[in-house]
Amino acid sequence: MRVSVLVYLFYYILVSGATKNRTCWLEASGDFRDEIAKHIKQSAKLIYIDFALPGHPPDMLDIVCKHVNNPYRWIRTTSRHGRSLLMLDENYKYMSLSTLTIGVESMFINLTDHPARCLRGKDEEEVLKIIRESFLGELVAPDVSSMSPLGNDDHICNMQVLEDHGHALFRYRCCRKHQDGDITCEDMQKDEWVQFLLALIIIIKVLVILWSPMFLPETLYREKYVAAPYIFHVPGPALSLKIVVTQKPDQFGVKNTQKRIRLSDLRNMQTFKTMIANTRWEHDRVYEVKVPDIRLSVKSRRLLGQNNVPITIFKLFYNSLIRCRIRHLELFQHAKPTETVK
């Protein structure tokens, strides 16, 4: 019995040591390479790759990779345009930069480590190295991936959490694999052009908010065809009108035909209609009404605002040159044609 236990322990130690020394890599289940090739064929500049590790605790990478933000999300970029998006803030799509999301794709895959559970017991640097090399090898066995290296502009990136005098800095670290098999990495930092772009966006937003009414043509927001009230104050003494309400207008003679107004024509004169409908207003009797103010209902486009100039310099040039109204000016009307001397 003791011999069998010792043999089992020796076999376990031997297998564990061999597994620890063997190359560990991740392999994707399904047609990962075909899906990546499909996105690249559709001119994808940046691909978000979220993955899971079946057979391992769901928070294993979160516990091991303490200096990585969301270790279950890695990014593949295929051009400088894709890497430049990593320099922007995560909310760039809400900062009037939604057009930059064209060519950004996302996908989800399940990964399996080979040999089985070889990721367990490794530290953060070893786990990140295995994941990075596996993605650079397109998640296939090392002997297969060596035959199809990625392009020169293809990078695999993840977000690192760096410490800076007690503050956390979140920066993407992008790595690429050269033809000779060497892997080089660099941290993506905002350059002066990205800072200038973000500052320009903020300035444009402030201008749009403060002066947006000035940027719109007046024809888009002014109600030109809506009737607006206009009060005309009669200068001097009040205007005197003689009014008579009757059901027999012929008794006042033919000369007053043009002065007749039907009550149905006074649709918008509610004050006047209320006045003559009063029970104290007798029919066939002439009343003299004093009118100090005249309320007119006119189109809004015919009213001139207090802060509007009736004619501008551009309109003057347009009417004079484009519409040829310059010939109607008094200066040209009285000009005499010159006589040629023979």
Side-chain angles (χ1 to χ4, degrees):
M1 182 67 180
R2 292 181 178 179
V3 175
S4 61
V5 172
L6 292 175
V7 172
Y8 177 77
L9 291 175
F10 177 76
Y11 175 77
Y12 177 78
I13 295 173
L14 182 63
V15 172
S16 300
T19 302
K20 185 175 181 180
N21 295 328
R22 289 178 59 185
T23 302
C24 181
W25 76 91
L26 300 177
E27 188 172 346
S29 59
D31 51 353
F32 169 76
R33 302 180 70 178
D34 295 338
E35 190 172 355
I36 285 289
K38 178 182 177 181
H39 289 316
I40 295 177
K41 188 177 180 180
Q42 295 176 353
S43 302
K45 304 296 187 298
L46 186 145
I47 305 173
Y48 289 98
I49 305 175
D50 296 304
F51 66 89
L53 292 171
H56 293 279
D59 57 347
M60 183 186 71
L61 295 184
D62 293 326
I63 297 175
V64 176
C65 304
K66 298 180 180 179
H67 296 86
V68 178
N69 181 44
N70 194 1
Y72 289 94
R73 163 170 283 193
W74 289 65
I75 302 171
R76 177 169 174 174
T77 62
T78 60
S79 64
R80 181 175 177 82
H81 175 201
R83 293 193 302 276
S84 63
L85 294 179
L86 301 179
M87 301 180 186
L88 303 176
D89 296 333
E90 292 296 326
N91 58 346
Y92 71 90
K93 62 183 67 176
Y94 308 108
M95 297 177 59
S96 304
L97 297 174
S98 57
T99 54
L100 296 180
T101 58
I102 299 176
V104 177
E105 304 291 342
S106 60
M107 57 184 300
F108 179 83
I109 56 175
N110 289 319
L111 300 182
T112 306
D113 52 346
H114 295 279
R117 296 179 176 83
C118 63
L119 287 178
R120 296 190 180 183
K122 298 185 181 298
D123 57 12
E124 180 178 358
E125 292 297 330
E126 292 176 339
V127 172
L128 292 179
K129 181 180 179 182
I130 293 172
I131 297 176
R132 186 176 294 114
E133 291 180 350
S134 299
F135 274 109
L136 290 173
E138 294 188 326
L139 298 176
V140 294
D143 54 346
V144 179
S145 63
S146 60
M147 296 185 298
S148 58
L150 302 182
N152 295 330
D153 291 332
D154 291 336
H155 289 70
I156 297 297
C157 309
N158 69 312
M159 181 174 285
Q160 298 286 135
V161 182
L162 306 178
E163 191 272 336
D164 182 28
H165 302 288
H167 299 279
L169 297 179
F170 296 87
R171 290 179 179 174
Y172 283 99
R173 179 168 296 173
C174 296
C175 304
R176 62 182 294 256
K177 188 175 184 180
H178 300 274
Q179 295 293 336
D180 55 1
D182 294 337
I183 297 176
T184 57
C185 301
E186 62 175 347
D187 293 339
M188 306 301 297
Q189 299 183 12
K190 295 181 180 179
D191 54 10
E192 59 275 6
W193 291 108
V194 175
Q195 298 288 357
F196 174 76
L197 176 62
L198 297 178
L200 185 61
I201 292 174
I202 295 176
I203 294 175
I204 293 176
K205 284 187 174 182
V206 173
L207 292 177
V208 170
I209 293 175
L210 295 181
W211 287 282
S212 56
M214 304 297 294
F215 295 153
L216 297 176
E218 189 179 3
T219 55
L220 296 180
Y221 61 87
R222 188 178 180 187
E223 298 178 350
K224 287 190 172 184
Y225 301 98
V226 178
Y230 175 75
I231 301 177
F232 174 73
H233 301 283
V234 179
L239 183 64
S240 179
L241 297 178
K242 292 183 178 181
I243 301 174
V244 59
V245 179
T246 181
Q247 295 180 352
K248 300 177 181 180
D250 296 336
Q251 62 179 326
F252 295 97
V254 184
K255 296 181 180 180
N256 297 324
T257 304
Q258 298 180 353
K259 299 181 181 180
R260 298 175 185 175
I261 300 176
R262 292 182 177 273
L263 191 61
S264 59
D265 297 335
L266 305 178
R267 290 174 296 179
N268 297 325
M269 302 178 66
Q270 297 297 332
T271 304
F272 183 76
K273 292 172 64 175
T274 304
M275 181 183 65
I276 63 177
N278 196 334
T279 56
R280 292 179 298 177
W281 194 284
E282 300 180 3
H283 287 196
D284 299 329
R285 179 180 175 182
V286 179
Y287 290 89
E288 187 175 0
V289 179
K290 301 294 183 180
V291 182
D293 299 326
I294 300 177
R295 299 177 180 269
L296 303 176
S297 179
V298 296
K299 298 293 184 180
S300 297
R301 61 177 179 176
R302 302 186 62 182
L303 295 177
L304 184 62
Q306 296 180 357
N307 58 345
N308 289 341
V309 181
I311 186 170
T312 60
I313 297 178
F314 294 102
K315 191 172 183 179
L316 178 62
F317 279 106
Y318 175 77
N319 292 334
S320 301
L321 301 180
I322 305 301
R323 304 182 67 180
C324 297
R325 290 187 177 180
I326 192 173
R327 66 179 184 272
H328 298 300
L329 296 179
E330 185 178 359
L331 177 63
F332 295 95
Q333 292 291 335
H334 298 284
K336 296 181 180 180
T338 57
E339 297 180 357
T340 58
V341 179
K342 296 183 180 180

